[in-house]
Every structure is written in C-alpha cells, then in structure tokens.
C-alpha cells in the first residue's frame, strides 16, 4: 500500500528513520512484548512521545505493529475515559431553579 504512512500524517522523515532502524531490529526483542522481531513480521516505528500528545518522531524504536496498535488503542481508551464529564446525579435536571 504505497503512501499509507503519508496519508496518516507520517512523512518522509518518519519513513527514513524507520528504514534506518529496521535492519538493526531483526533478531532483537520487541521493547513492548519481549518476543523476537524477525523478517516478514509487520514492524512499526514507535514514537517516544505519542502523536496524540504532540510527538513528532525522532529517536523512535522499532516494535511489532500489533504491539504498537494495542498500545495506541489503550491510550485512546484512557483518553476517552478521562475526557468524560462526570455528572452529579443529585443535581436538579430542570432549568426551573
């Protein structure tokens, strides 16, 4: 799928960094799950600061794509949970104060 990273907002510098780090990742344990990363597996460049918090890249690490997606999903769930407004059920619901 050409251009997939570009369509996600990940440009040339992200692709270059991933290409540079990828050969060193083979045979090493994934920093997230500790399973060995081998050729043929889907591997991602993980951002040190998540993109949702303004991370731009640089000094990333190669991880399994599934680990990266799982961590991103957990982060999204945590952000949604924190952003919910807690309402007090004892407060009146009418505008007739």
């Amino acid at each position: 799928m050409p251009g997939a990273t570009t369509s996600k907002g990940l440009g040339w510098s992200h692709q270059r960094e991933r290409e540079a780090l990828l050969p060193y990742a083979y045979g090493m344990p994934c920093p997230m799950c500790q399973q060995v990363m081998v050729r043929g597996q889907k591997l991602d460049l993980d951002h040190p600061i998540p993109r949702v918090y303004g991370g731009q890249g640089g000094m990333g690490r190669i991880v399994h794509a599934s680990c990266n997606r799982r961590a991103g999903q957990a982060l999204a769930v945590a952000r949604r949970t924190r952003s919910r407004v807690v309402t007090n059920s004892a407060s009146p619901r009418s505008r007739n104060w």
Side-chain angles (χ1 to χ4, degrees):
M1 174 187 280
T5 55
T6 305
S7 65
K8 294 178 188 173
L10 304 171
W12 182 80
S13 61
H14 175 88
Q15 294 171 20
R16 287 287 294 222
E17 184 176 359
R18 181 182 179 278
E19 288 174 11
L21 293 175
L22 198 57
Y24 300 104
Y26 297 128
M28 300 298 292
C30 171
M32 294 182 167
C33 71
Q34 303 307 314
Q35 298 295 318
V36 175
M37 297 181 284
V38 296
R39 290 185 190 275
Q41 290 179 325
K42 293 182 180 181
L43 303 175
D44 282 352
L45 176 63
D46 183 39
H47 291 85
I49 300 173
R51 292 179 65 215
V52 296
Y53 292 123
Q56 297 297 318
M59 299 304 294
R61 60 188 182 171
I62 300 292
V63 299
H64 287 121
S66 58
C67 294
N68 196 28
R69 303 298 193 289
R70 190 176 310 113
Q73 184 63 31
L75 181 63
V77 168
R79 289 188 73 202
R80 279 194 301 268
T81 303
R82 275 186 301 219
S83 67
R84 290 187 183 147
V85 176
V86 178
T87 59
N88 186 354
S89 60
S91 65
R93 301 228 181 242
S94 73
R95 293 184 182 209
N96 301 330
W97 310 353

